[in-house]
Amino acid sequence: MFRLLLLLSLTCPAIASEERAREIIDEMEQLYRGDSSDATMTMQVQTPNYNRTLTMTAQSFGKDYGFFRIQAPKKDRGIATLKRDEEMWNYFPKINKVIKVPPSMMMGSWMGSDFTNDDLVKETQLIDAYALALIETEDEYKVTLTPREQTVTVWDRIEYTISKDPLLPLSQAFFDDDGEKIRELTFHEPKEYYGKLMPSILEMRPLNKEGHLTRIMYDDIKFNVPEITKDTFSLRNLKSRF
Amino acid sequence: MLTFQIAFRNILRQKRRSLLTGLSMTGGYMLFVLGYSILEGSYGNAIDIFTLDNTGHIQIHQDDYLDRPKIYKTIQNRDQVELALTDDPDVQSFTPRVFSPALAYAGDRTAPSRLVGIDADLEPTVSRLLQKVSKGTYFSSLPNTDGYYEAMIGRGLHITLKLEVGDEIVLISSGGDGSIANDIFVVSAIIGNKTSFDRMAVYLPLAAAQEFLSLGNDVHEYVLLVNNKDHNEKIANELSAQLPELTVSPWQKVEATFYRTMQADRQGNYFTMGLIIFIVFIGVLNTVLMSVLERTREFGVLRAIGSRPMQLVRLISLETFIMAFISVTVGLLLILPIIYWSAEVGFLLPEPIDMGGIKFQHLKGEMSARIFWIPMAFILATAVLISIPPGFRAARILPKEAMGSH
Amino acid sequence: MLTFKLAFRNLFRNTRRTILTSVLISASLIVLILVDGLMLGMTNVMIGGITHTLEGEAQVVRKGFRNNFEVEYTIDDPTSVINQIENSKAVEGYGPRVIIGGMIASSYNTTGSLVYGVDAQQELRVSRISEAVIEGRYLSGGSREILIGKPMADLLEVKLGDRLIITAATVDTNEITQELFRLSGIFEFGPEEMDKNLVFINLDKAQSVLGMKGNLHQIAVRFIDPEDAKNPELPLFKQLTNEENEALGWLNLQPSIGAMIEMSSYATAIVGTILFLLTSLGVINSMFMSIYERIYEFGVAKAIGTTPWQIIQLVLFEALLLALISCAFGLTLGYLLGDYFSINGIPMGKMEVSGVLLDGNLYTQLALYQFVNFPIYVTLLTLAAAIYPATFASRIVPTEALQRAL
C-alpha cells in the first residue's frame, strides 16, 4: 500500500508535467496562427551557391489550411502554394497550371528554402504525434518531443525551448538517431503585432550542410481575420491573383 | 652469301614439301590474324555501342559532378574549355550538355523525368541522337512560331504521359538560383524505344534549358570524341593537365561497371586466344619439325662432303626463316583485304541485336597494326626456334647413320 | 583385316611423325572442348546472374505493366495465378512482389528509389537477395524492416537501426502515404543501378501501406529445369497468359541478353571454324609428307596390281586410325582439363568484379555433346583432310615413282 502511494506520487508530477507541456506547445503553435491569420513576410535563403530573397503573403485557417503566394522577385511573382490537410498544390502563373505536389516532391525543399514541403504539411502535428516531457529551469521551458511508435518522421527527438517570460519560443532542435543535432529553428526579435507579441524572425539552419540558412521575417501579421474562412482555401482561389 | 643461296635453292628444290610447309604457315598466320581481329573487334563493337550512343570517349565536369550531380556544379569558363578542345588535334568533336531532374506533366498525368539540354548542332557529332528519332523531327534550337521551345522526349515519357508529337509538356524543376523552374514546351520528336537508357529524358535546346534552370551560360558537362580511341586515357590525362580546375574522365571511368564487366569478359577471350595460339604453335611445330627431320639423310650427305655442324644449323634455321617469312608475307597480302572488309562491313549476324533503340547486325573485326605484326612475330620466332634443336641433332649425327636412315 | 594391319604398320613406321600429327589432332579436340566449355560456363554465369539474382527465370505480370511500371497494373486474380503456380510440377519456387517508385528520406538526405515488397521466405527459392546482404540481416517479416544498397546508405548517411521514411502514392486512392522504417540490412549486388536504387521491404507491409488489398505487381518464378524458362510453349506459360496477364520466360523479358548470347555463340562458331581449318592444314601436310616419302612403295604396290581404290582405302584407313587414336587421347586430356577448370576456374587471374551478379573466376562447363559430337567432327575432318593425299597416292604412276630414290 505504502509502495503504491510512493509509486503514484512519483508518476503524478510526470503526468502533470506532460499536460503542462501540451499546454505550452499548444500556445506556441497558436502564436502564429490564431483562428485565422494573414501575413506578409520576407524569406531569405542563403546557400554557398546562391542567395535569394522572396517576399510573400501567407494566410492560414486553423491548423489545416494555408496559402502562400510569392510577391517578389518579379520572375516568381504569383507562384502560390495551397495546403489543405495533408495535401499540397502549387500554382505557376507563367504557365497557368495548378500542380498537385506528388510524393517525389514532398520531401523536397519548399520554394528552394531549408524547409521541406513535408515540414509545411506536418508542422501542426507536434502535439498529437509526439510524447512530451517537460523540464523547467528558471527562465525556460524545455520540452522534449519523442515520436510515438506510429509516427512517421526522420527525427529521433525534437527539443523545443521556450522562454518563460515572455512566453515565446526560442528554438526547436531536431536530432537524428545518433543524438546528433541535424537542424535548428531559432526565433528572434519579438515584436508586437496588433497587440500580440511574437518573434518576428525565424531562422532555420541545417547543421549538416555548411553555409545554409533560411530566414523568415514577418513584416506584418493580422489574426482572426473575418474574411478568411475554410472556403477561402480552394483551388480556384489558388489560381487567382490577389 | 653462299648459305643464303643454298638455303633458297633447297627450298625451291623440294617444291611440294616447301609448298605444304609454307601453306601451313600461311594458313596458320591468316587464321591467327582473323581470330585475333574478331575477338578484339567484338570489344571495339561493344565499346562503340556505349560511347557513340551517349557517353562519348571523354567527359568533362566540375568537381565530382559525375558521382554526386548537383545543379550548381557547373562549368563556367566555357571559352577556355572550348578553346582547349578545338585546338587539341586528338579531339574529333565535342558538345556541351546541361542536366536536371524534372517533373513532367501532361494533362493530369505526371512522371519524373531527366531534363537534358543539348546543342542541337553539335550533339549529332558526338552521339547518335539524330538516328534515334523514331517519330516527329529533330528539333531546332529556336522557338517555334507560337514562341514555344521544342522538346524531344524519350519513349517512356511518350507512353506514361501519352504524349504525341505536337503536344505540350510542362516541366517543373529547381533552378540553379533556388527558384522553381516551370515552363511549357512542345514535343517535336519521340526518341528511341522502351529499353533506351533515355526513355524518361526530355531533350531541350541548350539555351532553353539554361534559361529554364537559370544557369546563365554555364553547362554541366562536355562530351568529346577522340580520333584514336585506343589512346583515350592518355588524351584524358593530357586534357586534365590543361584544365586543372575541372575533372576530366575517360569513358572507362564514366561507365565503370560496363568497363569492369568487359575486362572480365576479355579474360575469357584471352584464354581462347591462348588456345588458338597453342594450335598455331603445334601446327608450326608439326610442319617445321617434320620437314627438318625428314631431311636427315640429306644432311648426312652434306656432312659427309665436309660441311661443319654450325654451318648446317645456320642453313636449316635460315631456310626455315625464309620459308616462314615468305609464307607470312603471302598470308598478310591475302588476309589484309579480308580484315579490312571485316572492320568496315563485318560479318552479318543472323538476327539484328537491339541495344536501346539502335540495331546492330554486324560482327566487326578490328583493323590495326598489332593484329598483323604480333602473329607474324610469333610465327617467325616459333618457326626459327623450333628448327634449331633438330638442326643441332641433324648436325651432330654421324654421316653414316644419316645416310642409312630413310 | 589386311588393310587394318597395313594401316597400323604404316602409321607406326614413322612414329615421330604420327605422334606429331596426333598431337595436332588431339590438341584441336581439346581446344574445342575447352573453348566450348568456357563459352558455356560464361553464358551460364551470365544467364544465372540475370535470372537468379532478382528477375527470376520467368515472370507473371499484368499486360502493360512492363511498359511503364505503373502501379495500377496489378496482376488479375492473383489468388488463382498463385494456385496454378503452386500446383505446377515444373516450378521450383516463386516470389510474389509489389513494385513501386517512391522517395526515401533520412535525417540527412532524400533520394528516389524503386521499392520492392517481397515475401522473405519465398524469395529464398527464387532470388539472391539474402545472399547480397553484407551488413545487418535479411528480411524476416518484421513490419519496419528495410534493406537498402550500400551506395544508398552512404548517400542517406544512415547506419543499421536508423530511421528511413518512404513516401509514395497509394495505389487505390492516389494519395500521398508515408511510412517509417528502421534500416535492418544493407546489401550489395554489384551493379550500381541495383545498389543505388533498389529498396526491399516485406510484402504485407508494402501491400498495406500502398492500399493494395492483396494485389501484386509481379510474380517471379524459378523452374526445376532451367531449360523450361526458354520454352515459349511451356504449359504453365499458356495457362497463365490470358487477356489480362502474361507469363514470360527471361528470353522474352530480356531479349537483348538472348541476342548477346547468340552473338557469343556465333563468335564461337567462327573460332571453331578457324581451329578446324588450322587442323586440316596440319593433317593434310602430315599425310602428304607420309605419302611422299613412301612414293617408292606406292609405286611398287601399284605395279604389282593394287587398284587405286585400294590405295585410297588404305590411306583413308590410316587417317581414320590416326583420328581415333588422337581422339582417345584428346578426350581423356580434354575431360581432365575441362573438369579441372570447371572446378577451379581458368588461370587468367582474378577480377575485381565482386558481388552476387558476377562471380570472380570463369569456369568451364562440361556437356555430353562435347564428348560425343566433337570427336566425330574431328574424325570426319581428319578423313576429309586425307582425301586429297589419298587420291594423289592412288594416282601415282608406277614408272615415275620407281625412279625416285629419295
Side-chain angles (χ1 to χ4, degrees):
Chain A
M1 188 60 186
F2 179 66
R3 254 173 285 175
L4 192 58
L5 279 172
L6 191 58
L7 204 60
L8 274 172
S9 64
L10 285 175
T11 54
C12 271
I15 296 172
S17 93
E18 167 130 6
E19 277 193 21
R20 176 81 185 113
R22 222 173 259 287
E23 278 169 27
I24 298 173
I25 301 244
D26 205 22
E27 260 198 69
M28 295 299 100
E29 306 226 307
Q30 283 293 325
L31 201 61
Y32 286 95
R33 230 174 290 121
D35 287 328
S36 57
S37 73
D38 189 355
T40 40
M41 51 178 137
T42 307
M43 182 162 84
Q44 281 175 0
V45 180
Q46 290 171 19
T47 75
N49 304 293
Y50 58 79
N51 288 342
R52 225 159 84 93
T53 306
L54 303 168
T55 49
M56 48 181 141
T57 61
Q59 293 85 37
S60 74
F61 184 83
K63 290 196 304 178
D64 299 321
Y65 298 87
F67 248 137
F68 298 87
R69 193 179 297 276
I70 298 181
Q71 305 292 108
K74 198 164 82 151
K75 188 168 87 152
D76 301 321
R77 185 177 167 81
I79 294 182
T81 302
L82 166 65
K83 174 192 117 123
R84 279 215 313 243
D85 292 313
E86 306 232 326
E87 298 178 298
M88 274 177 79
W89 291 262
N90 286 327
Y91 170 65
F92 301 99
K94 179 162 81 169
I95 57 178
N96 194 25
K97 280 244 179 307
V98 170
I99 306 258
K100 184 163 175 199
V101 174
S104 46
M105 268 174 80
M106 279 314 267
M107 307 303 285
S109 98
W110 176 68
M111 302 287 185
S113 72
D114 295 299
F115 293 97
T116 63
N117 286 315
D118 202 51
D119 282 333
L120 258 62
V121 163
K122 295 270 201 55
E123 58 166 324
T124 57
Q125 289 174 3
L126 287 183
I127 297 188
D128 310 317
Y130 291 74
L132 311 170
L134 176 65
I135 299 179
E136 253 184 81
T137 68
E138 210 183 287
D139 302 315
E140 297 172 345
Y141 291 115
K142 278 197 188 342
V143 181
T144 306
L145 298 98
T146 340
R148 297 192 196 282
E149 183 64 40
Q150 297 301 102
T151 305
V152 178
T153 172
V154 293
W155 308 115
D156 188 58
R157 75 172 191 284
I158 305 175
E159 278 178 9
Y160 206 154
T161 309
I162 299 148
S163 68
K164 276 186 173 176
D165 180 33
L167 193 66
L168 293 178
L170 289 176
S171 71
Q172 281 183 21
F174 299 80
F175 294 82
D176 73 355
D177 293 294
D178 288 333
E180 264 188 64
K181 190 158 45 165
I182 301 300
R183 63 177 196 172
E184 190 163 33
L185 177 63
T186 50
F187 303 80
H188 308 266
E189 293 198 25
K191 282 199 195 148
E192 260 201 39
Y193 297 92
Y194 301 91
K196 200 170 178 185
L197 184 68
M198 43 181 275
S200 62
I201 298 184
L202 278 73
E203 287 185 356
M204 173 66 96
R205 195 178 272 105
L207 294 161
N208 58 336
K209 293 189 277 193
E210 281 232 18
H212 283 252
L213 173 68
T214 299
R215 181 183 291 123
I216 296 184
M217 300 177 291
Y218 280 92
D219 301 318
D220 189 28
I221 179 164
K222 299 201 240 321
F223 294 99
N224 303 321
V225 180
E227 297 85 46
I228 296 180
T229 68
K230 198 159 76 163
D231 300 322
T232 318
F233 300 87
S234 68
L235 284 170
R236 212 179 59 207
N237 281 347
L238 179 61
K239 282 177 100 161
S240 62
R241 294 177 170 273
F242 44 109
Chain B
M1 265 191 42
L2 192 61
T3 328
F4 200 78
Q5 279 179 308
I6 297 178
F8 238 114
R9 205 192 47 183
N10 280 347
I11 293 173
L12 293 173
R13 219 158 32 91
Q14 288 290 339
K15 287 208 182 59
R16 183 167 267 124
R17 174 161 61 216
S18 302
L19 200 62
L20 276 177
T21 313
L23 260 178
S24 231
M25 288 199 273
T26 303
Y29 175 73
M30 285 172 68
L31 293 170
F32 191 162
V33 168
L34 189 63
Y36 195 178
S37 168
I38 291 177
L39 282 174
E40 285 298 312
S42 64
Y43 288 120
N45 271 353
I47 295 174
D48 279 348
I49 290 174
F50 258 92
T51 57
L52 298 180
D53 192 29
N54 176 64
T55 314
H57 293 139
I58 296 178
Q59 290 188 358
I60 302 180
H61 301 102
Q62 175 74 263
D63 254 2
D64 62 345
Y65 184 86
L66 194 57
D67 294 318
R68 293 271 170 103
K70 295 271 182 215
I71 192 167
Y72 50 79
K73 292 181 187 165
T74 56
I75 299 173
Q76 290 161 343
N77 52 339
R78 287 188 63 192
D79 291 332
Q80 185 193 357
V81 175
E82 293 187 6
L83 191 62
L85 294 177
T86 322
D87 281 348
D88 193 329
D90 294 316
V91 172
Q92 182 183 324
S93 58
F94 64 86
T95 189
R97 294 184 185 150
V98 159
F99 301 98
S100 176
L103 275 177
Y105 285 83
D108 52 4
R109 286 174 300 274
T110 174
S113 72
R114 190 172 192 234
L115 171 63
V116 184
I118 58 170
D119 183 314
D121 302 313
L122 290 179
E123 180 73 33
T125 66
V126 172
S127 76
R128 294 198 190 97
L129 191 56
L130 190 53
Q131 288 109 296
K132 286 169 69 176
V133 172
S134 69
K135 278 193 213 173
T137 50
Y138 189 80
F139 63 23
S140 85
S141 44
L142 299 170
N144 67 11
T145 45
D146 297 320
Y148 289 108
Y149 278 105
E150 293 178 315
M152 299 193 289
I153 64 173
R155 185 160 292 259
L157 281 178
H158 157 68
I159 294 175
T160 311
L161 298 180
K162 300 188 182 24
L163 283 167
E164 296 292 340
V165 173
D167 287 345
E168 285 181 359
I169 180 173
V170 170
L171 292 178
I172 312 260
S173 183
S174 293
D177 62 352
S179 59
I180 300 189
N182 58 97
D183 215 338
I184 304 180
F185 302 91
V186 173
V187 176
S188 82
I190 299 179
I191 302 276
N193 68 15
K194 281 191 305 204
T195 59
S196 308
F197 74 92
D198 54 1
R199 60 188 176 278
M200 298 306 275
V202 179
Y203 290 99
L204 289 183
L206 188 69
Q210 286 170 323
E211 193 191 300
F212 177 72
L213 297 170
S214 306
L215 288 175
N217 193 29
D218 298 345
V219 297
H220 290 120
E221 177 179 282
Y222 275 98
V223 184
L224 11 131
L225 291 184
V226 298
N227 288 319
N228 188 346
K229 60 179 192 270
D230 290 330
H231 296 159
N232 195 46
E233 282 164 300
K234 181 163 89 76
I235 299 174
N237 283 339
E238 284 168 13
L239 275 173
S240 194
Q242 278 184 290
L243 304 166
E245 338 78 52
L246 298 175
T247 310
V248 181
S249 316
W251 70 259
Q252 287 89 340
K253 185 155 176 300
V254 177
E255 296 284 351
T257 314
F258 164 73
Y259 182 58
R260 281 202 311 268
T261 313
M262 199 189 81
Q263 294 295 81
D265 199 54
R266 240 190 161 121
Q267 308 281 40
N269 274 356
Y270 285 156
F271 184 67
T272 308
M273 269 309 290
L275 294 176
I276 290 183
I277 290 175
F278 179 64
I279 294 286
V280 172
F281 173 75
I282 301 247
V284 173
L285 181 79
N286 210 332
T287 39
V288 170
L289 214 51
M290 280 200 294
S291 72
V292 170
L293 295 173
E294 305 300 313
R295 293 160 63 201
T296 313
R297 191 160 183 270
E298 189 186 317
F299 298 138
V301 170
L302 282 172
R303 290 273 282 135
I305 61 171
S307 309
R308 285 196 296 283
M310 274 316 289
Q311 278 179 320
L312 217 48
V313 172
R314 262 205 300 273
L315 181 66
I316 292 169
S317 306
L318 191 59
E319 268 182 48
T320 314
F321 179 77
I322 295 174
M323 277 264 23
F325 186 77
I326 295 175
S327 314
V328 166
T329 311
V330 170
L332 178 64
L333 292 173
L334 290 175
I335 201 85
L336 204 59
I338 297 178
I339 297 294
Y340 181 75
W341 170 85
S342 85
E344 291 299 308
V345 178
F347 297 92
L348 189 68
L349 295 170
E351 286 240 15
I353 296 182
D354 181 301
M355 285 267 192
I358 305 183
K359 288 200 187 333
F360 295 95
Q361 206 167 355
H362 291 271
L363 183 61
K364 287 202 179 156
E366 176 180 300
M367 171 97 169
S368 72
R370 69 176 172 179
I371 63 158
F372 294 113
W373 72 256
I374 290 182
M376 183 181 284
F378 179 77
I379 289 181
L380 286 175
T382 314
V384 171
L385 286 174
I386 287 174
S387 70
I388 293 182
F392 267 106
R393 189 170 158 274
R396 288 218 190 93
I397 222 169
L398 292 174
K400 196 179 71 172
E401 286 174 31
M403 290 194 285
S405 86
H406 207 282
Chain C
M1 261 200 43
L2 187 64
T3 328
F4 183 81
K5 285 212 293 204
L6 274 176
F8 200 80
R9 199 198 53 177
N10 284 341
L11 270 186
F12 287 100
R13 268 162 59 187
N14 193 333
T15 319
R16 185 182 54 223
R17 186 198 300 127
T18 303
I19 287 182
L20 278 176
T21 317
S22 178
V23 165
L24 179 64
I25 298 174
S26 42
S28 295
L29 182 60
I30 294 172
V31 165
L32 262 182
I33 292 176
L34 288 179
V35 168
D36 187 80
L38 183 65
M39 288 293 138
L40 217 56
M42 282 171 67
T43 310
N44 282 348
V45 164
M46 186 162 63
I47 298 177
I50 291 161
T51 60
H52 293 169
T53 303
L54 185 63
E55 292 295 310
E57 291 171 358
Q59 286 177 3
V60 181
V61 291
R62 181 64 170 262
K63 281 188 174 154
F65 179 70
R66 288 189 306 132
N67 272 344
N68 35 17
F69 281 81
E70 276 185 48
V71 293
E72 305 91 61
Y73 285 78
T74 57
I75 296 176
D76 187 54
D77 197 2
T79 349
S80 149
V81 171
I82 291 190
N83 266 338
Q84 291 179 67
I85 293 179
E86 280 184 342
N87 287 334
S88 164
K89 295 199 181 45
V91 171
E92 155 117 22
Y94 69 92
R97 295 156 175 187
V98 160
I99 304 175
I100 189 165
M103 296 299 280
I104 182 165
S106 68
S107 329
Y108 279 84
N109 219 337
T110 169
T111 184
S113 69
L114 190 61
V115 180
Y116 274 73
V118 301
D119 180 315
Q121 281 307 110
Q122 306 259 50
E123 284 296 324
L124 290 175
R125 288 192 298 167
V126 181
S127 62
R128 294 199 190 127
I129 304 172
S130 69
E131 284 166 50
V133 174
I134 54 172
E135 264 181 71
R137 285 180 352 235
Y138 177 58
L139 300 172
S140 62
S143 90
R144 298 225 183 271
E145 286 174 345
I146 186 170
L147 304 175
I148 68 178
K150 184 106 183 57
M152 188 184 271
D154 290 339
L155 181 69
L156 297 175
E157 295 187 53
V158 286
K159 49 182 210 321
L160 296 177
D162 284 356
R163 291 162 174 273
L164 288 169
I165 291 188
I166 293 186
T167 311
T170 59
V171 172
D172 49 359
T173 54
N174 202 29
E175 281 175 0
I176 293 183
T177 175
Q178 288 186 326
E179 189 57 71
L180 174 68
F181 295 88
R182 294 264 181 193
L183 186 59
S184 55
I186 298 178
F187 60 78
E188 194 165 58
F189 281 102
E192 267 188 358
E193 315 78 57
M194 291 179 87
D195 293 336
K196 270 191 180 172
N197 294 311
L198 299 185
V199 167
F200 295 97
I201 59 178
N202 287 296
L203 179 65
D204 33 20
K205 180 74 170 183
Q207 285 175 324
S208 74
V209 165
L210 297 170
M212 290 200 62
K213 306 184 192 41
N215 280 323
L216 300 167
H217 289 118
Q218 182 192 85
I219 300 178
V221 175
R222 190 189 287 206
F223 295 101
I224 298 178
D225 176 9
E227 294 297 310
D228 276 348
K230 294 200 247 178
N231 175 11
E233 303 297 313
L234 193 69
L236 189 65
F237 289 159
K238 295 196 130 96
Q239 257 179 288
L240 293 174
T241 304
N242 53 30
E243 267 173 33
E244 308 292 335
N245 297 335
E246 52 185 8
L248 298 167
W250 63 263
L251 265 177
N252 291 34
L253 293 169
Q254 311 253 19
S256 55
I257 308 294
M260 272 200 264
I261 292 178
E262 260 198 67
M263 187 158 86
S264 196
S265 55
Y266 198 73
T268 316
I270 293 182
V271 170
T273 314
I274 291 177
L275 285 177
F276 272 166
L277 288 174
L278 279 174
T279 311
S280 322
L281 282 174
V283 171
I284 293 176
N285 205 347
S286 171
M287 301 250 72
F288 251 115
M289 293 280 195
S290 103
I291 288 166
Y292 209 56
E293 109 189 332
R294 291 183 282 153
I295 265 185
Y296 190 77
E297 265 175 55
F298 282 115
V300 170
K302 282 199 84 175
I304 63 170
T306 320
T307 65
W309 173 235
Q310 280 174 320
I311 293 189
I312 291 179
Q313 275 184 309
L314 180 66
V315 175
L316 285 182
F317 213 88
E318 278 177 41
L320 179 65
L321 212 52
L322 184 64
L324 289 176
I325 295 173
S326 311
C327 281
F329 182 66
L331 279 178
T332 318
L333 199 56
Y335 178 76
L336 289 173
L337 283 175
D339 191 52
Y340 176 77
F341 289 140
S342 74
I343 297 173
N344 298 347
I346 62 172
M348 292 305 294
K350 275 203 153 294
M351 299 164 342
E352 301 98 47
V353 182
S354 64
V356 177
L357 192 58
L358 282 175
D359 205 338
N361 277 328
L362 290 169
Y363 297 87
T364 55
Q365 181 153 335
L366 302 179
L368 190 62
Y369 70 83
Q370 291 167 346
F371 294 90
V372 172
N373 299 19
F374 288 176
I376 293 180
Y377 295 154
V378 171
T379 307
L380 289 175
L381 177 75
T382 312
L383 283 175
I387 288 178
Y388 177 39
T391 35
F392 172 78
S394 72
R395 293 216 192 106
I396 289 175
V397 180
T399 45
E400 286 175 21
L402 290 172
Q403 282 171 20
R404 302 272 179 111
L406 221 110

